[in-house]
Amino acid sequence: MKNTISARIADFLKDFPPFSLLEEKHLLTISKEVKVIYMEKGKPVFRKGEKGHEHFYIVNKGAIDLQKIKENGEAETIDKCDEGDIFGLRPLFAKENYLINADTDEESILYAIPISIFKPIAESNSHVGNFLIESFASNTRNPYSPEHRGQLVTDNSIEFKTDSMYELQPVPIVKRIVTVPPETTIRTAATLMSNKKVGSILITENELPTGIVTDMDFRTMVATGRLSIDTPVSEIMTSPVICYSRSITIAQAQLTMMKHNINHICITRDGTPNTKVKGIVSEHDIIVSQANNPSVLMKAINRASSTKKLKKVRNKIMQLLKGYLDHNIPLTHISKIIFELNDATIKRIINRCIEKMETPPPVKFAWLSLGSQGRKEQLLHTDQDNALVFEDVPEEKLEETKEYFLKLSKKVTKRLGIIGYEFCPADMMARNPQYCLSLQEWKEQFSNWIVEPGSDEILLCSIFFDYDISYGDVSLSNELADHIYKEISSYKKFLTLLAASALRNPTPLGFFRQFLVEHDGENKDFFDIKKRAITPLTDAGRVLSLSHQVKNMSNTAERFEKLAQLEPANRELYLACSYSSKALLKFRTKQGLLHKDSGRFINLQDLSKEDKIKLKRCFKSIKDVQELIKFRFEISSFIS
């Protein structure tokens, strides 16, 4: 009789790595031995110093809080595991006691995977082993602690440099494959390679790879006269072919090539010679791909002599972003790198535009990036939101000075549009005279918004309060920030109205925990992840940070991490909000790269059950923080 429990376990495991990399027979063998564990919220799975268990774990339902114990004995969250996440791998690799705590963050069901059953299977499958090694080395991270920001950590902190992140990207795969049967003559194979302009040719039987021939083989075996050109190509092919799945990283590919003294790797569906070929990886393509290294891209940006060249670099930045996401690099680190590259691009454009002006800037100025770029959350190509503030000048010089900076701003925004940042539909850009102002004019503008706030003024504040200086004199932006906080402290009513505005988008779930989707328009029945999920968290983090007078911090996740320090009683909620803001941004970015758009509108039919569960978990943070805002600022009802 069929074991229905083990079948259900296998059905769950097959959707998550490394189990998705296993053959069905091995998956069923493991599933029959899995122990199902139910745990209430707040219960320990294991503790630091505890002897390693005979199992490692995967979360079936619920969430697990992984904690590092600091020197003062206080537990600090370093990661959260959700449905499909594995943890507790230490006993699989080392006979050591655990170095961290693992507690249930909510009511949870865990699958305990017996190490004695799993280890022999993993050792026979290099792809499973590689996945587990990378998970053990990098999956536990600290998304909260400032001293670990931008790092990956295991049980002990390990610095993760951008150069090593390049090596963890997936390899560049050439899908244009030329194949011939083994009996093909060397003459025919060489002619085919020449006509197709490729450096290698695969020898296949029944569409399965049996060998490979490269340019080098022709030079060493044929051009030297050792073999006739009418000899079957099978006489000079390298066999068996070294195969991997498409998930192989650059580091793995380089090591494999060195180990086997080869310069090509075959990519097949399951990473073995027993399935159809999907592509080829060459040593040359890996060398070329090094242009996607962040430090190389930064140099290319600073050297770019035209907008066209900057656009090419921007395309490489998108490839870099995709590689990081594909390999599950923490969003904290991704955001920092992409922000720096974006910021350098803006600086380069402004510098080049200043060079094209007839005269240098008449006074000091600052270019402010607003919205998602100002929050260091702009990963995809979205609308550009920016403003310009220039040093105060005598009244008689004001129009002349403003005219100069408007002309400069038009040049800058035009070039930003060319490289992929579309114009803001509401024209909230420095080229608009409303947003290209002197310092005193900006102060008066913000004072008007704060002292007499209507719905339009509140909306403008929600955009202009999230700014970051991208170019120019930081003293101007700092003075403007000081003025804003002074005004806010004088007009308490403003924060209440801003808080009410933060509630205008209620929880993304309706009755029966169904996603709230668009009812009409071109995006009918799609889920708006920006309006329904990301914006509510952004708005909440902003108003709470302003109420605490937190300066020089506009990133949503960082705002909530700071709030967790300022309000220990709400620490758990704020850290959950920080985690959710990063998870939602990562989800939107993946959708955007997948569909080559902004990732804002999501077709729920395309999502797996696991993706929907993870999204709904993030939504709980939105509901809870909105309830806190509602009572703290004494707002009687939600604003729709």
Side-chain angles (χ1 to χ4, degrees):
M1 188 174 77
K2 186 178 179 180
N3 186 330
T4 56
I5 295 178
S6 64
R8 284 201 298 269
I9 293 173
D11 192 52
F12 173 82
L13 293 178
K14 71 180 182 182
D15 290 332
F16 301 100
F19 308 100
S20 56
L21 304 172
L22 294 173
E23 295 180 24
E24 186 177 358
K25 62 179 181 180
H26 290 151
L27 191 61
L28 288 173
T29 298
I30 293 169
S31 299
K32 290 176 183 178
E33 304 299 327
V34 167
K35 183 179 179 182
V36 181
I37 303 174
Y38 165 79
M39 300 189 71
E40 296 178 354
K41 179 179 179 179
K43 298 296 182 181
V45 182
F46 52 76
R47 279 278 181 264
K48 178 182 178 181
E50 184 177 330
K51 182 181 178 182
H53 296 179
E54 296 179 353
H55 307 79
F56 67 96
Y57 303 92
I58 182 169
V59 182
N60 172 249
K61 295 185 185 302
I64 303 298
D65 198 32
L66 302 183
Q67 302 171 337
K68 178 181 177 180
I69 307 303
K70 298 192 292 187
E71 292 182 2
N72 61 6
E74 186 178 319
E76 179 183 25
T77 296
I78 57 173
D79 208 355
K80 287 182 182 291
C81 295
D82 213 320
E83 277 91 345
D85 289 337
I86 57 173
F87 67 99
L89 289 171
R90 181 162 292 278
L92 187 63
F93 294 99
K95 294 181 180 180
E96 298 176 357
N97 296 344
Y98 292 112
L99 297 182
I100 59 173
N101 290 351
D103 291 349
T104 52
D105 193 44
E106 56 185 70
E107 188 178 33
S108 302
I109 295 177
L110 307 178
Y111 288 162
I113 315 296
I115 292 173
S116 60
I117 300 295
F118 184 84
K119 193 168 185 177
I121 295 174
E123 289 175 345
S124 66
N125 187 318
S126 61
H127 307 295
V128 173
N130 288 333
F131 174 87
L132 290 172
I133 289 170
E134 289 179 9
S135 295
F136 181 62
S138 66
N139 215 34
T140 302
R141 58 183 173 82
N142 188 335
Y144 309 131
S145 175
E147 64 264 29
H148 294 140
R149 195 168 293 128
Q151 298 177 350
L152 292 175
V153 296
T154 57
D155 299 321
N156 297 308
S157 297
I158 297 176
E159 185 176 359
F160 205 139
K161 298 181 180 178
T162 57
D163 288 344
S164 64
M165 287 179 69
Y166 157 74
E167 295 176 347
L168 287 180
Q169 294 181 61
V171 292
I173 299 173
V174 175
K175 297 180 180 179
R176 186 163 54 94
I177 313 162
V178 180
T179 63
V180 295
E183 61 272 15
T184 305
T185 65
I186 291 174
R187 182 203 304 267
T188 302
T191 302
L192 189 58
M193 286 174 62
S194 179
N195 291 339
K196 296 292 185 179
K197 297 180 180 179
V198 295
S200 63
I201 192 166
L202 275 173
I203 318 304
T204 60
E205 291 186 87
N206 300 320
E207 296 189 334
L208 302 181
T210 59
I212 187 170
V213 174
T214 68
D215 286 334
M216 184 179 293
D217 295 320
F218 287 121
R219 291 196 299 270
T220 58
M221 304 290 285
V222 183
T224 57
R226 292 171 59 184
L227 291 173
S228 164
I229 59 175
D230 294 318
T231 304
V233 74
S234 57
E235 293 294 315
I236 63 170
M237 72 180 184
T238 299
S239 182
V241 184
I242 303 300
C243 297
Y244 272 87
S245 68
R246 63 175 66 248
S247 63
I248 182 175
T249 64
I250 287 174
Q252 289 173 321
Q254 289 173 322
L255 290 173
T256 298
M257 289 177 180
M258 286 188 287
K259 177 181 177 182
H260 296 282
N261 194 27
I262 57 176
N263 51 25
H264 289 77
I265 294 173
C266 184
I267 302 299
T268 60
R269 185 177 61 80
D270 67 353
T272 74
N274 305 317
T275 53
K276 191 174 179 180
V277 176
K278 293 294 184 181
I280 288 286
V281 174
S282 73
E283 185 178 38
H284 173 265
D285 292 328
I286 290 177
I287 293 172
V288 171
S289 76
Q290 290 178 347
N292 285 356
N293 185 315
S295 59
V296 174
L297 290 174
M298 184 65 79
K299 291 177 183 176
I301 290 169
N302 292 331
R303 289 197 304 263
S305 58
S306 68
T307 305
K308 185 178 179 180
K309 290 182 178 179
L310 278 174
K311 185 174 182 178
K312 289 182 178 179
V313 177
R314 283 293 307 161
N315 293 334
K316 291 182 179 180
I317 292 173
M318 289 299 101
Q319 295 172 21
L320 178 75
L321 172 62
K322 185 178 185 303
Y324 285 166
L325 291 172
D326 286 345
H327 216 70
N328 205 29
I329 302 300
L331 192 73
T332 303
H333 206 113
I334 296 174
S335 296
K336 284 182 174 294
I337 292 175
I338 301 301
F339 169 78
E340 293 297 342
L341 293 171
N342 287 345
D343 207 48
T345 302
I346 295 170
K347 283 182 170 65
R348 183 59 182 154
I349 286 176
I350 295 173
N351 269 324
R352 293 195 66 251
C353 288
I354 290 175
E355 291 170 2
K356 292 180 180 294
M357 296 290 286
E358 295 177 359
T359 60
V363 294
K364 296 177 183 178
F365 77 99
W367 184 276
L368 306 179
S369 292
L370 312 174
S372 58
Q373 175 64 11
R375 293 191 297 273
K376 300 180 176 64
E377 296 168 359
Q378 189 177 62
L379 301 181
L380 298 169
H381 286 172
T382 55
D383 298 341
Q384 51 173 299
D385 296 301
N386 43 59
L388 188 145
V389 53
F390 57 86
E391 193 176 18
D392 290 329
V393 295
E395 184 68 30
E396 62 271 17
K397 291 281 188 180
L398 182 59
E399 286 307 312
E400 178 187 343
T401 306
K402 184 175 295 188
E403 190 61 35
Y404 177 94
F405 286 114
L406 279 172
K407 186 176 180 179
L408 173 63
S409 298
K410 287 175 183 176
K411 288 180 179 292
V412 174
T413 53
K414 177 183 177 181
R415 284 157 179 77
L416 286 173
I418 291 172
I419 68 171
Y421 296 104
E422 295 182 3
F423 286 166
C424 172
D427 205 22
M428 291 182 184
M429 296 181 289
R431 70 174 192 173
N432 185 335
Q434 289 181 273
Y435 309 123
C436 181
L437 304 172
S438 69
L439 178 59
Q440 184 57 38
E441 287 177 318
W442 270 118
K443 287 180 179 179
E444 292 171 0
Q445 179 76 280
F446 275 104
S447 293
N448 290 335
W449 289 344
I450 293 168
V451 176
E452 299 179 5
S455 57
D456 290 341
E457 287 77 12
I458 291 292
L459 176 61
L460 288 167
C461 285
S462 68
I463 297 170
F464 283 84
F465 278 5
D466 295 344
Y467 68 75
D468 183 80
I469 180 170
S470 294
Y471 186 98
D473 195 318
V474 70
S475 65
L476 295 172
S477 59
N478 285 342
E479 188 172 341
L480 184 58
D482 291 339
H483 174 77
I484 290 171
Y485 281 101
K486 181 181 177 181
E487 292 290 83
I488 289 175
S489 63
S490 300
Y491 295 92
K492 302 295 185 183
K493 180 184 175 183
F494 172 78
L495 278 181
T496 301
L497 293 174
L498 193 65
S501 176
L503 305 181
R504 68 184 183 275
N505 290 316
T507 176
L509 299 178
F511 290 111
F512 307 112
R513 287 177 54 79
Q514 296 300 309
F515 287 82
L516 294 177
V517 297
E518 301 304 292
H519 295 300
D520 49 37
E522 61 177 318
N523 296 302
K524 186 177 184 293
D525 296 327
F526 278 63
F527 178 69
D528 186 344
I529 192 171
K530 177 184 176 182
K531 181 177 77 174
R532 300 286 187 184
I534 295 175
T535 297
L537 276 175
T538 302
D539 289 347
R542 181 187 304 111
V543 70
L544 289 167
S545 294
L546 287 172
S547 70
H548 280 284
Q549 298 272 306
V550 176
K551 297 181 181 180
N552 302 320
M553 186 178 290
S554 57
N555 179 267
T556 302
E558 291 179 1
R559 277 173 165 169
F560 279 117
E561 289 159 18
K562 183 64 176 179
L563 289 166
Q565 298 174 13
L566 297 172
E567 298 182 30
N570 294 310
R571 181 176 182 273
E572 184 177 344
L573 169 59
Y574 290 145
L575 292 184
C577 288
S578 174
Y579 174 84
S580 295
S581 69
K582 287 182 281 192
L584 290 167
L585 179 58
K586 186 174 185 178
F587 191 88
R588 177 184 176 178
T589 304
K590 283 187 172 183
Q591 290 291 312
L593 290 171
L594 179 65
H595 299 291
K596 294 180 173 58
D597 57 21
S598 70
R600 175 172 178 173
F601 294 97
I602 297 171
N603 184 356
L604 296 174
Q605 302 301 319
D606 294 340
L607 300 186
S608 66
K609 180 180 178 182
E610 288 70 34
D611 282 337
K612 291 178 182 178
I613 289 172
K614 290 183 178 183
L615 278 176
K616 288 180 179 180
R617 184 174 312 287
C618 294
F619 299 163
K620 183 178 185 300
S621 303
I622 299 172
K623 181 180 179 181
D624 290 346
V625 78
Q626 286 187 334
E627 284 294 319
L628 182 147
I629 289 173
K630 182 178 178 181
F631 287 104
R632 174 167 298 181
F633 294 95
E634 300 179 350
I635 300 169
S636 58
S637 60
F638 284 99
I639 306 299
S640 59

